[in-house]
Amino acid sequence: MPKAYRMFVAMPALPALKCPPVSVSEAKESPSVGGFCIDATVDVNKVLEQVTGFLDEKFRDSNKYHSRGDEYVFFEGNDCSQNLVGSLWTTDHGRASIDVKQPSWWKNDEARSVLIQHAAAGEILRVFDHPGGHQSDDWTEIHIKRDIEVYCVTTFEASYEDDYIKMYYKRHNGLDGKISRVENDRETGFDVTTFPLPRYMDYRVDFCEYWGTQCGWAVADRWCQLNGYQRATTWLAEPNIGTIDPTWLIGEQRRCDQDFCGGFAEITCLNPAN
């Protein structure tokens, strides 16, 4: 049965392509990049056959690319470009992990992007700088929000959300080209709580941990941990509130009551469900 879905294809060594909203059966092609976005009613099996054929022709590396069914295919360059460095397949139990320093068919400290194909909603991909998966170094977690046929994650150094994925990046000193471990898992439910107008020491939480540095995610994560949660999943900033509602810099332990002082409108914290 033909189904309607959005397909994203990024050609090698070209900029990432953002799909504009288009109506069914309307196709728009950009002259500035070698990719295309299509919303159309199509034969899914035929499209998948064409896509995997394209991947085989352009990217095939028999020493690293295990099979056309591998769901996560990692590339040496950003935007799913350059050489293959390895791939990851999921199991019936939805869990798999690889210390990429061990197998001969993986290149350690090379991956900068990943092509997701045939992935199901609820899957999670994690990549780490540390081969043991320690979170003291850089790591990224990607949640699949809806079934994906083809999707290119162009860099691991970003936190963002769209209709297909939700991506969280914990920065230390950079992750692209440094990946030493990859893991796949499935969501089993989470304890998630959103805190409006979060406060600390009777003040609004400042947007930065220290004066002008370690802002945004660093503060949200630490505030969640101070409240017994694992980390932040999302947050909303509220700038220029210092004169009306002074803020408190958690790391520096000082108040900010100037007009330029900003805080958070809300922070959402997460813990795995028991």
Side-chain angles (χ1 to χ4, degrees):
M1 173 74 75
K3 297 180 180 179
Y5 71 97
R6 169 156 289 189
M7 179 174 69
F8 168 68
V9 177
M11 303 301 184
L14 291 171
L17 182 64
K18 300 295 185 181
C19 295
V22 294
S23 60
V24 173
S25 301
E26 179 186 7
K28 294 185 177 181
E29 184 170 356
S30 169
S32 62
V33 295
F36 55 87
C37 299
I38 297 175
D39 273 325
T41 299
V42 296
D43 184 327
V44 173
N45 292 331
K46 183 176 181 180
V47 170
L48 292 180
E49 182 179 349
Q50 292 172 344
V51 169
T52 51
F54 166 79
L55 294 174
D56 277 352
E57 178 183 354
K58 297 295 184 182
F59 301 128
R60 185 70 178 178
D61 184 337
S62 59
N63 291 325
K64 304 177 188 69
Y65 189 15
H66 273 202
S67 76
R68 300 190 337 183
D70 290 354
E71 294 187 26
Y72 303 100
V73 184
F74 294 80
F75 290 87
E76 182 181 15
N78 292 117
D79 308 321
C80 298
S81 65
Q82 301 182 39
N83 298 322
L84 289 172
V85 300
S87 62
L88 179 71
W89 60 97
T90 60
T91 68
D92 291 339
H93 300 289
R95 295 187 175 184
S97 63
I98 300 175
D99 174 352
V100 304
K101 298 178 70 174
Q102 302 299 324
S104 60
W105 42 269
W106 256 94
K107 285 186 178 180
N108 182 46
D109 288 343
E110 291 285 346
R112 291 177 175 271
S113 59
V114 62
L115 185 74
I116 304 172
Q117 52 179 357
H118 326 309
E123 290 187 24
I124 302 171
L125 176 69
R126 299 184 186 94
V127 295
F128 302 87
D129 188 339
H130 194 281
H134 295 175
Q135 296 185 1
S136 58
D137 214 331
D138 293 75
W139 59 281
T140 289
E141 183 174 271
I142 302 170
H143 289 248
I144 309 300
K145 297 172 57 178
R146 58 190 293 186
D147 292 353
I148 289 176
E149 299 300 340
V150 182
Y151 187 108
C152 178
V153 176
T154 62
T155 176
F156 296 110
E157 297 182 6
S159 295
Y160 72 95
E161 183 174 4
D162 61 20
D163 290 342
Y164 292 88
I165 71 169
K166 184 174 184 178
M167 182 165 163
Y168 170 82
Y169 169 48
K170 181 67 173 180
R171 181 175 178 81
H172 176 62
N173 57 8
L175 184 57
D176 282 357
K178 297 182 179 180
I179 289 172
S180 294
R181 184 180 184 84
V182 296
E183 296 180 354
N184 173 258
D185 203 345
R186 293 189 187 276
E187 293 180 345
T188 56
F190 294 97
D191 174 19
V192 177
T193 304
T194 297
F195 298 90
L197 308 179
R199 306 184 73 86
Y200 186 76
M201 297 292 290
D202 294 327
Y203 294 99
R204 293 283 295 277
V205 179
D206 194 272
F207 189 68
C208 295
E209 192 169 3
Y210 296 90
W211 198 264
T213 63
Q214 295 181 230
C215 306
W217 282 109
V219 179
D221 281 341
R222 184 166 179 186
W223 189 84
C224 287
Q225 290 160 6
L226 288 170
N227 284 276
Y229 286 81
Q230 185 185 87
R231 61 172 174 82
T233 60
T234 60
W235 48 263
L236 292 175
E238 188 173 359
N240 306 323
I241 62 173
T243 56
I244 302 171
D245 201 354
T247 63
W248 187 267
L249 288 83
I250 292 178
E252 200 156 321
Q253 292 293 299
R254 61 179 290 188
R255 188 180 74 165
C256 184
D257 57 7
Q258 303 299 308
D259 179 65
F260 55 78
C261 302
F264 293 86
E266 65 178 41
I267 296 176
T268 299
C269 301
L270 170 145
N271 251 352
N274 296 324

